[in-house]
Amino acid sequence: MKLSFRWYGDTDPVTLEYISQIPAMRSVVSAVYDVKPGEVWSNESIADIAAKCKSHGLVFDVVESIPVHEDIKLGRNNVDELIEVYCENIRRCAAHGVRCVTYNFMPVFDWTRTQLDKKAPDGSTSLVMYWDQMRGLDPLKDDIHLPGWDSSYTQSEVRELIGAYGELGEEGLWKNLERFLKKVIPVAEECGVRMAIHPDDPPYPIFGLPRIITNEANLDRFLAIYDSPANSLCLCTGSLGCAKSNDVVAMVRKYANMDRIAFMHIRNVKIMEDGSFEERAHLSSCGSLDVYEIVKALTDAGFDGYVRPDHGRMIWGEVGKPGYGLYDRALGAAYINGLFEACEKAKKNG
């Protein structure tokens, strides 16, 4: 596997110097963050990220993400022009050494949480989603500002988008995803890039918005749209794993054996009785997911794609971007390193 770490650029308090000190760290996962969705990334910006990573002994070969414009998802306005811009961004990233591009097809909101700093008994804080904090909220009537929601949208724009997606429905979203894939994946193939779709987070409807990258049946449907290694998954254990109905270990085993996982996000969550969930430390015993079995499934399949420790808690007094501090993600990387070493040696020794 290729161990990686997300970096949010020069404004990120977690520096490349710190990232490079994590044992076995290879790749940096980043993006051009100052360009709006639907606009072309400059070659200079991409080259600058690559050069800075190289100067610290790291490789910039994973983009997370090139955002998909809402009009592509809705299939409206200048959708063909927007898809062509997306293809151009793939070409430009590939020219500077990027080999994996992560994206999502979630309507309006990339992810939904109700709190970013839920304090645990040990004093650490983490991201959570509690249903009792969601009940009674109606974005069509109320001004709602939940963590993870794009602050660039006004409340009136949010309401318009929710209405548009409500009319589109799940099948309409599938149709627009198919249109996107059939234009984008051939470009990715030509460029030697694997596109890796991120599951919906959480993997079920929020406020009636359709969500389709949610479970095994839908992942099968997605992969069948364009049967190519360039059309693959960013399999996020924490996103799929916060739905009790998803057998994450079985999904990892299945899609790794199919060579349709390009990127693994490994993190742990604790699912509550009512379906609420808390993000936890990476260790298996800290949450509802068996991280050892996840890594074993990857190792058994000979997985050689990208892996990163996903959201971490804020620990030891660290202050920074919730979920993306240094300390707990570095602990997660060390834990993942250890699991891979143990599983690979056990496989080798029979």
Side-chain angles (χ1 to χ4, degrees), residues 328-344:
D328 200 42
R329 285 191 297 156
L331 290 177
Y335 177 52
I336 291 167
N337 271 333
L339 289 178
F340 268 98
E341 180 178 355
C343 290
E344 286 167 357

Side-chain angles (χ1 to χ4, degrees), residues 64-65 67-74 102-113 148-150 153 161 165 168 173 177 196-206 209-214 234 236 239-240 265 267 311:
E64 186 176 346
S65 60
V68 180
H69 197 282
E70 298 294 341
D71 284 348
I72 294 177
K73 300 172 194 174
L74 286 165
T102 304
Y103 67 103
N104 71 71
F105 223 73
M106 285 181 262
V108 192
F109 315 118
D110 280 2
W111 48 274
T112 300
R113 301 289 187 273
W149 288 23
D150 192 337
Y153 294 130
L161 285 169
Y165 279 110
L168 183 70
L173 192 59
L177 176 56
I197 196 167
H198 191 286
D200 299 342
D201 187 6
Y204 37 75
I206 298 290
L209 288 167
R211 290 192 162 184
I212 57 177
I213 309 301
T214 55
C234 170
C236 178
S239 297
L240 292 170
H265 288 183
R267 60 182 170 90
H311 302 173

Side-chain angles (χ1 to χ4, degrees), residues 28-294:
V28 167
V29 181
S30 195
V32 176
Y33 293 107
D34 59 355
V35 176
K36 295 179 180 179
E39 296 181 358
V40 176
W41 291 5
S42 74
N43 282 304
E44 293 77 14
S45 295
I46 303 168
D48 181 62
I49 299 171
K52 287 174 177 173
C53 293
K54 185 177 180 180
S55 70
H56 288 87
L58 299 165
V59 183
F60 173 49
D61 51 358
V62 185
V63 162
E64 186 176 346
S65 60
I66 303 177
V68 180
H69 197 282
E70 298 294 341
D71 284 348
I72 294 177
K73 300 172 194 174
L74 286 165
R76 66 183 187 182
N77 299 329
N78 59 333
V79 57
D80 290 326
E81 178 183 331
L82 289 167
I83 294 177
E84 180 48 43
V85 167
Y86 202 98
C87 291
E88 178 60 20
N89 282 331
I90 293 172
R91 296 185 189 100
R92 292 188 177 202
C93 287
H96 293 281
V98 170
R99 293 294 169 258
C100 179
V101 172
T102 304
Y103 67 103
N104 71 71
F105 223 73
M106 285 181 262
V108 192
F109 315 118
D110 280 2
W111 48 274
T112 300
R113 301 289 187 273
T114 56
Q115 193 173 344
L116 300 181
D117 57 354
K118 173 63 178 178
K119 194 169 185 178
D122 63 6
S124 63
T125 63
S126 65
L127 288 69
V128 301
M129 195 189 87
Y130 293 146
W131 280 112
D132 62 357
Q133 295 175 338
M134 293 282 285
R135 293 189 186 97
L137 298 180
D138 185 349
L140 295 178
K141 297 178 181 178
D142 308 318
D143 286 347
I144 299 175
H145 301 278
L146 285 173
W149 288 23
D150 192 337
S151 60
S152 66
Y153 294 130
T154 66
Q155 289 294 308
S156 61
E157 287 172 334
V158 167
R159 292 184 182 111
E160 187 276 328
L161 285 169
I162 290 176
Y165 279 110
E167 293 180 10
L168 183 70
E170 285 192 11
E171 286 306 314
L173 192 59
W174 275 113
K175 180 180 178 181
N176 293 336
L177 176 56
E178 181 174 353
R179 179 183 189 175
F180 174 77
L181 292 174
K182 288 185 174 179
K183 292 186 177 182
V184 166
I185 300 303
V187 174
E189 288 177 324
E190 292 171 5
C191 295
V193 168
R194 298 190 75 177
M195 300 296 297
I197 196 167
H198 191 286
D200 299 342
D201 187 6
Y204 37 75
I206 298 290
F207 298 125
L209 288 167
R211 290 192 162 184
I212 57 177
I213 309 301
T214 55
N215 55 40
E216 184 175 351
N218 284 6
L219 294 181
D220 287 345
R221 179 175 177 177
F222 164 79
L223 293 173
I225 291 173
Y226 202 108
D227 188 8
S228 166
N231 180 40
S232 289
L233 305 173
C234 170
L235 201 152
C236 178
T237 64
S239 297
L240 292 170
C242 61
K244 294 180 181 180
S245 56
N246 283 334
D247 185 338
V248 175
V249 173
M251 295 165 82
V252 170
R253 183 178 296 112
K254 173 179 178 176
Y255 298 118
N257 280 311
M258 292 170 59
D259 189 26
R260 299 301 288 276
I261 301 176
F263 194 13
M264 283 292 306
H265 288 183
I266 297 181
R267 60 182 170 90
N268 209 344
V269 291
K270 179 67 176 179
I271 307 174
M272 321 307 283
E273 285 297 320
D274 67 347
S276 301
F277 61 89
E278 300 174 348
E279 297 190 358
R280 295 285 184 89
H282 289 76
L283 190 71
S284 294
S285 59
C286 292
S288 300
L289 304 182
D290 192 328
V291 182
Y292 165 77
E293 289 294 341
I294 288 168

